[in-house]
Amino acid sequence: AQSVTQLGSHVSVSEGALVLLRCNYSSSVPPYLFWYVQYPNQGLQLLLKYTTGATLVKGINGFEAEFKKSETSFHLTKPSAHMSDAAEYFCAVSGGPIGGSYIPTFGRGTSLIVHP
Amino acid sequence: EPEVTQTPSHQVTQMGQEVILRCVPISNHLYFYWYRQILGQKVEFLVSFYNNEISEKSEIFDDQFSVERPDGSNFTLKIRSTKLEDSAMYFCASSDDAGGYYGYTFGSGTRLTVV
């Protein structure tokens, strides 16, 4: 079984400030982990993913996330927020290279609000 | 960039009516999925489809739901007799591998409102 918990349904930052969106997962097998972003009236777009190898992964638009197995976390960060980053962000987990369900399980989403 | 296209973007229907939500996945993808998101809640898996049959489904996907790939390009979700609690955003997704290694491509969703 796999699950994801996203802490905070809304995160509000000022433009230029650090963005930190939290994601903790539960998985009985080594997982694949994903962050998706949804802009208004659009579909979910893959931001970045962890499958195997380097635990710090870089995605589009300056975002990155670090897989920390000991903390079962996959938090998403960006050093400096931009107004265009305002969107809904979803963390997802699926079974990884040695089994488990390949169907991603999503969190509730975190709405990122960026103030000028 | 290839897209997953969903139609309509909004659908309002009366309780008890049948609805069909349509999706055109990316043309060389082989795996297709439906998810839904009730307002303020998680994105929930409904069903996956491969090789013209359902490969996995959740407990949400009961006998009221069905999926079809009628013509090799469209992928549809039918809800036979809609209930108020079926009101949600429905997302179609496709992928070219079963393991999710490359992630999924999602459509922009159909907002279904049952009144």
Side-chain angles (χ1 to χ4, degrees):
Chain A
Q2 56 203 30
S3 66
V4 164
T5 302
Q6 289 185 242
L7 294 173
S9 58
H10 295 84
V11 169
S12 184
V13 299
S14 298
E15 192 173 20
L18 171 72
V19 175
L20 171 61
L21 304 182
R22 298 178 187 275
C23 172
N24 288 89
Y25 71 90
S26 171
S27 178
S28 57
V29 297
Y32 288 167
L33 293 157
F34 306 85
W35 275 99
Y36 284 83
V37 59
Q38 184 184 26
Y39 298 104
N41 300 315
Q42 295 186 29
L44 282 73
Q45 178 185 359
L46 183 64
L47 200 54
L48 52 77
K49 65 182 188 325
Y50 168 79
T51 51
T52 57
T55 56
L56 181 63
V57 292
K58 296 184 187 300
I60 60 172
N61 302 336
F63 283 92
E64 60 183 40
E66 186 170 11
F67 169 56
K68 291 189 176 180
K69 184 179 176 183
S70 61
E71 299 177 9
T72 61
S73 68
F74 190 58
H75 302 330
L76 182 71
T77 60
K78 181 173 180 178
S80 176
H82 193 272
M83 295 296 289
S84 60
D85 295 327
E88 191 84 11
Y89 291 80
F90 294 91
C91 183
V93 60
S94 72
I98 64 167
S101 172
Y102 62 85
I103 303 294
T105 299
F106 285 82
R108 289 178 182 267
T110 298
S111 180
L112 177 64
I113 301 159
V114 183
H115 297 286
Chain B
E1 183 158 341
E3 288 185 344
V4 173
T5 306
Q6 288 186 246
T7 55
S9 56
H10 294 89
Q11 171 110 34
V12 181
T13 189
Q14 290 206 323
M15 193 167 54
Q17 294 295 304
E18 174 183 286
V19 294
I20 297 176
L21 309 183
R22 301 180 193 280
C23 170
V24 179
I26 292 174
S27 61
N28 63 340
H29 283 184
L30 300 175
Y31 301 86
F32 314 113
Y33 313 87
W34 284 101
Y35 283 79
R36 78 173 185 190
Q37 185 182 27
I38 296 171
L39 190 63
Q41 298 186 26
K42 293 184 180 188
V43 175
E44 301 173 293
F45 168 71
L46 294 178
V47 66
S48 61
F49 192 85
Y50 169 72
N51 200 25
N52 283 320
E53 61 182 25
I54 290 172
S55 46
E56 196 166 334
K57 61 182 181 179
S58 71
E59 55 262 12
I60 301 169
F61 194 88
D62 62 20
D63 292 343
Q64 293 296 313
F65 292 89
S66 62
V67 289
E68 200 176 38
R69 189 156 161 80
D71 56 12
S73 62
N74 289 283
F75 179 50
T76 61
L77 174 69
K78 183 193 292 187
I79 309 174
R80 246 180 286 282
S81 177
T82 50
K83 308 185 195 71
L84 294 176
E85 54 265 36
D86 294 326
S87 295
M89 181 72 93
Y90 289 80
F91 293 105
C92 174
S94 68
S95 67
D96 59 5
D97 75 306
Y101 186 85
Y102 297 105
Y104 293 11
T105 303
F106 283 82
S108 56
T110 294
R111 181 166 297 287
L112 176 66
T113 302
V114 183
V115 297

